[in-house]
Amino acid sequence: EDSAIETLDGAEWMGRSMKVNKARPRERSNGNRGGGYNRGSF
């Protein structure tokens, strides 16, 4: 896992530099409905 991250982090793919990090659980924040739809209409 660590060696794959080290190998791919900063590598170029299709002309773009990749950023690779370990997966971690998403943090939930109060009041965040996610998705970005209907902003400001609550």
Side-chain angles (χ1 to χ4, degrees), residues 25-38:
R26 293 180 184 226
E27 295 179 13
R28 290 187 170 204
S29 59
N30 293 335
N32 182 5
R33 292 177 172 250
Y37 300 106
N38 298 324

Side-chain angles (χ1 to χ4, degrees), residues 14-30:
M14 292 181 68
R16 301 186 69 173
S17 180
M18 293 194 294
K19 180 69 180 157
V20 181
N21 294 307
K22 280 192 180 186
R24 58 182 183 264
R26 293 180 184 226
E27 295 179 13
R28 290 187 170 204
S29 59
N30 293 335

